[in-house]
């Protein structure tokens, strides 16, 4: 049996993705469409390239698919739009299924999010909290999941009581897209560091919470996409008006590259951040209470907020794909859950960088040699900044050392240099990666979040001393702990640094230029390497350097 899970239009209009699961619930392949079509967030684009990759990885064709599982109830959101499943599949997926159409199963958006988190976790039973902009009829929901039992919805909150809407409003007030919430989170750290005490925007009464802006009246149960869009625009406009009152202005007074120096911008970002942190902390407690266990899973777009995740106590798991791309996985698993698990989901489920071999274009402008760990370590210790593209790509927005830019973070200046390499704002922070044993000395410990770089952790005095380039203004970093041979080149360098008596920690950020998705193939990696001011590239088992800079370090 083969189940193809998708996040696809018309309901899944951004971060489209495809995931292939077999009859035992094993994930064979998982890919976000943006990696294939090279369009950031793949807005309004069907996940055809991602689906084709999944089929190729399994060695099957579209005609072999038994079920297409969709992470939305598009029949509610777009009533009467499609005459039958054949027309829906043609619009949403775009594969030729031949004469044997697969069954189409529509999974509620929040249930798909919840399944993607619980079944990716090592937990046997857990409370699951989903927080995002909105599903079909909710903005936050609490579930109990247990192996061998049907999931139980404990409670949900209406769409217009959405933390995601409130955060979108702050992001757009700041001049960002609603898809740039990570920038808002990074800017909020300047408010925390400055000791701001923002106006509280939420209150709590027993098990419930109440936002300072009351939700709109909503038609229960069956709102369509037009109604939801109208409500979204009204609610976001109300939140923007509130932020304008708080800041005393309708927008920032500085350009994007200098927002950290704008007190009003910092205040708005931190006000929204505190709203999310306070409310999610409350909801996390309610989820644990409802499930009767301390193990907690978190999903939905708000679960990408590393600063919030890092404030939550107790056993916590967030999957590598908590955002909308993840419902491709959750929808498939809702049809066929995996068996017993002892380890969290591996994130390395994407395209192998050398699939199809190296591009045929001339590489005469590059110096190419076999990869040598000692040479690579020496380049990094000499202050060079390089990129790594090895093996199967990570799923999700966090680069986990198979599609990463790396550097030694022994000075704060490296942060400035890497931001310049990536052509992004200088106030943006970076993350550190190390082995588990050394990580225990550098920052507060996280049992699961650091596997996928999804939780902020406070840095120790030693961390500040040896890795200032990955310490944000509020004293935190977003750590990654690398296990075994998950990412061979980076792991080998960490071990080599330790053997040489140097701190075994690297700066790690995604390998992509401004406005580009993370690189996927060898062709992507070479193009990005040429366009960016990088010193070297690890591509598969080879090291590439630019002839103009092959003679030494910076």
């Amino acid at each position: 049996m083969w189940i193809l899970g998708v996040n696809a239009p018309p309901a899944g209009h951004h971060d489209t993705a495809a995931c292939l699961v077999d009859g035992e619930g094993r994930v064979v392949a998982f890919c976000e469409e943006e990696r294939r079509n090279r369009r950031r967030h793949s807005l309004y684009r069907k996940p055809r390239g991602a689906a084709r990759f999944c089929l190729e990885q399994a060695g099957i064709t579209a005609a072999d698919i038994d079920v297409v599982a969709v992470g939305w109830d598009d029949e509610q959101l777009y009533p009467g739009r499609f005459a039958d499943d054949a027309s829906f599949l043609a619009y949403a997926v775009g594969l030729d299924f031949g004469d044997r159409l697969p069954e189409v199963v529509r999974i509620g958006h929040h249930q798909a999010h919840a399944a993607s988190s619980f079944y990716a976790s090592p937990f046997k039973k857990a409370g699951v909290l989903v927080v995002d902009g909105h599903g079909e009829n909710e903005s936050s929901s609490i579930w109990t999941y247990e192996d061998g039992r049907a999931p139980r919805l404990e409670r949900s909150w209406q769409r217009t009581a959405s933390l995601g809407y409130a955060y979108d409003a702050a992001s757009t007030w700041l001049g960002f897209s609603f898809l740039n919430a990570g920038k808002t989170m990074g800017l909020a750290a300047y408010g925390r560091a400055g000791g701001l005490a923002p106006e509280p925007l939420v209150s709590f009464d027993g098990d419930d919470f109440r936002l300072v802006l009351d939700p709109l009246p909503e038609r229960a149960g069956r709102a369509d996409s037009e109604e939801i869009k109208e409500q979204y625009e009204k609610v976001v406009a109300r939140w923007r008006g509130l932020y304008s009152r708080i800041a005393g202005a309708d927008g920032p007074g500085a350009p994007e590259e200098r927002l950290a120096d704008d007190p009003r911008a910092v205040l708005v970002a931190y006000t929204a951040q505190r709203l999310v942190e306070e409310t999610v902390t409350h909801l996390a407690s309610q989820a644990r209470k409802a499930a009767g266990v301390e193990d907690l899973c978190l999903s939905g777009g708000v679960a990408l907020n590393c600063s919030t995740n890092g404030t939550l106590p107790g056993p916590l798991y967030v999957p590598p794909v908590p955002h909308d791309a993840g419902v491709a996985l959750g929808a498939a698993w809702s049809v066929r859950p995996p068996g017993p698990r002892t380890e969290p989901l591996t994130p390395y489920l994407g395209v192998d960088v050398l699939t199809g071999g190296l591009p045929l274009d001339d590489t005469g402008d590059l110096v190419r040699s076999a990869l040598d760990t000692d040479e690579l370590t020496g380049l990094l210790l000499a202050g060079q900044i390089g990129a790594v593209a090895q093996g199967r790509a990570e799923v999700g927005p966090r680069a986990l050392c198979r599609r990463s830019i790396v550097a030694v973070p022994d000075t704060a200046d490296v942060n400035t240099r890497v931001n310049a390499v990536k052509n992004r704002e200088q106030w943006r922070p970076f993350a550190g990666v190390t082995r588990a044993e050394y990580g225990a000395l550098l920052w507060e410990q996280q049992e699961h979040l650091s596997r996928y770089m999804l939780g902020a952790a406070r840095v120790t005095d030693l961390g500040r001393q040896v890795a200032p380039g990955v310490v944000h203004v509020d004293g935190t970093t977003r750590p990654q702990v690398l296990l075994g041979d998950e990412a061979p080149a980076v792991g080998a360098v960490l071990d080599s640094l330790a053997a040489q008596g140097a701190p075994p920690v690297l700066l790690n950020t995604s390998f992509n230029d401004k406005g580009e998705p993370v690189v996927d193939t060898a062709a992507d990696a070479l193009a990005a390497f040429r366009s960016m001011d990088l010193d070297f590239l690890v591509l598969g088992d080879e090291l590439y350097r630019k002839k103009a800079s092959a003679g030494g370090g910076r």
Side-chain angles (χ1 to χ4, degrees):
M1 184 177 185
W2 295 104
I3 304 106
L4 182 69
V6 295
N7 181 46
H13 70 274
H14 62 83
D15 297 305
T16 56
C19 177
L20 185 67
V21 170
D22 70 12
E24 301 300 318
R26 292 180 293 239
V27 182
V28 175
F30 188 2
C31 183
E32 293 179 72
E33 182 63 22
E34 70 168 21
R35 301 287 185 101
R36 306 270 69 207
N37 64 25
R38 310 308 299 160
R39 303 283 186 175
R40 192 76 178 267
H41 298 293
S42 195
L43 288 167
Y44 304 105
R45 290 174 170 86
K46 63 192 72 177
R48 180 163 48 197
R52 284 174 174 165
F53 156 70
C54 291
L55 301 179
E56 291 165 2
Q57 190 69 27
I60 63 174
T61 69
D64 296 310
I65 297 297
D66 298 285
V67 177
V68 172
V70 186
W72 289 90
D73 182 357
D74 63 277
E75 291 183 322
Q76 172 188 326
L77 299 176
Y78 297 89
R81 177 162 181 172
F82 301 103
D84 51 31
D85 284 346
S87 59
F88 169 75
L89 289 171
Y91 180 90
V93 184
L95 297 179
D96 181 4
F97 292 98
D99 296 330
R100 177 178 172 267
L101 273 185
E103 178 186 4
V104 176
V105 176
R106 294 164 172 88
I107 306 298
H109 190 60
H110 272 220
Q111 182 176 345
H113 270 311
S116 74
S117 186
F118 174 74
Y119 293 125
S121 80
F123 302 147
K124 307 306 179 189
K125 180 180 181 181
V128 183
L129 172 61
V130 179
V131 186
D132 63 2
H134 64 81
E136 294 84 3
N137 304 300
E138 62 281 292
S139 58
S140 301
S141 60
I142 288 174
W143 303 73
T144 294
Y145 268 72
E146 184 174 3
D147 282 342
R149 295 180 178 271
R152 185 172 70 244
L153 174 62
E154 303 287 0
R155 185 168 181 191
S156 64
W157 284 262
Q158 65 196 89
R159 286 184 306 272
T160 56
S162 170
L163 297 179
Y165 289 8
Y167 215 80
D168 282 1
S171 297
T172 56
W173 187 96
L174 290 163
F176 308 145
S177 160
F178 76 97
L179 294 168
N180 293 141
K183 291 187 179 183
T184 306
M185 180 182 69
L187 187 62
Y190 290 83
R192 194 189 313 275
L196 293 185
E199 177 180 327
L201 302 182
V202 62
S203 58
F204 304 99
D205 183 11
D207 293 347
D208 211 348
F209 72 90
R210 182 171 180 173
L211 301 178
V212 68
L213 296 182
D214 290 333
L216 300 178
E218 296 179 33
R219 184 158 59 95
R222 300 299 297 178
D224 62 23
S225 61
E226 288 301 316
E227 184 175 344
I228 293 172
K229 179 182 178 183
E230 181 180 348
Q231 290 171 343
Y232 171 82
E233 291 172 349
K234 287 181 179 178
V235 173
V236 169
R238 293 173 68 204
W239 280 108
R240 280 176 61 100
L242 177 61
Y243 295 134
S244 293
R245 178 188 64 76
I246 290 171
D250 291 333
E256 189 167 319
E257 63 270 17
R258 298 209 321 272
L259 284 180
D261 300 321
D262 181 350
R264 291 172 173 172
V266 171
L267 175 61
V268 167
Y270 189 48
T271 298
Q273 180 65 32
R274 288 297 300 152
L275 166 64
V276 169
E277 290 177 0
E278 292 168 9
T279 311
V280 169
T281 297
H282 174 81
L283 292 175
S285 175
Q286 298 309 308
R288 287 179 162 127
K289 178 180 177 182
V293 294
E294 285 301 300
D295 291 338
L296 175 68
C297 297
L298 192 63
S299 195
V302 173
L304 282 175
N305 192 303
C306 302
S307 296
T308 297
N309 297 345
T311 66
L312 298 176
L316 173 65
Y317 178 83
V318 182
V321 282
H323 60 312
D324 273 9
V327 302
L329 173 64
W333 267 341
S334 294
V335 173
R336 187 55 55 95
R341 306 158 320 280
T342 57
E343 291 292 326
L345 177 74
T346 176
Y348 306 112
L349 297 165
V351 173
D352 190 294
V353 74
L354 294 180
T355 295
L358 290 171
L360 297 177
D361 62 324
D362 181 23
T363 56
D365 59 324
L366 304 176
V367 177
R368 179 176 169 186
S369 61
L371 180 62
D372 179 85
T373 298
D374 290 338
E375 180 184 11
L376 180 58
T377 305
L379 294 176
L380 288 163
L381 285 172
Q384 295 201 12
I385 298 169
V388 176
Q390 277 193 319
R392 292 184 69 176
E394 313 92 328
V395 293
R398 307 294 189 231
L400 301 174
C401 296
R402 291 199 184 181
R403 302 292 190 276
S404 290
I405 291 172
V406 293
V408 169
D410 55 353
T411 67
D413 175 64
V414 74
N415 185 295
T416 301
R417 290 167 46 216
V418 178
N419 268 324
V421 166
K422 286 178 67 76
N423 296 303
R424 69 179 201 172
E425 304 84 6
Q426 283 297 336
W427 48 266
R428 303 275 296 279
F430 289 108
V433 58
T434 188
R435 297 295 196 183
E437 298 79 7
Y438 197 65
L441 305 176
L442 299 184
W443 44 65
E444 294 172 333
Q445 293 307 284
Q446 306 169 334
E447 185 176 4
H448 300 298
L449 294 177
S450 58
R451 187 180 184 97
Y452 312 124
M453 204 191 295
L454 280 170
R458 186 157 294 280
V459 177
T460 65
D461 289 342
L462 178 63
R464 289 176 179 273
Q465 176 186 335
V466 303
V470 296
V471 182
H472 200 15
V473 65
D474 63 351
T476 66
T477 191
R478 189 178 63 203
Q480 181 194 357
V481 167
L482 195 61
L483 305 175
D485 294 326
E486 288 180 329
V490 174
V493 167
L494 292 173
D495 296 340
S496 177
L497 289 169
Q500 295 183 40
V505 57
L506 293 172
L507 178 153
N508 170 30
T509 187
S510 58
F511 183 13
N512 60 302
D513 206 345
K514 184 175 183 179
E516 292 284 326
V518 179
V519 305
D520 205 30
T521 65
D524 300 334
L526 286 169
F529 178 51
R530 287 186 170 106
S531 69
M532 303 172 74
D533 188 21
L534 291 162
D535 296 304
F536 64 83
L537 167 65
V538 174
L539 180 56
D541 293 329
E542 295 186 315
L543 179 68
Y544 288 76
R545 303 185 68 194
K546 297 169 182 174
K547 284 185 176 179
S549 60
R554 288 179 180 268

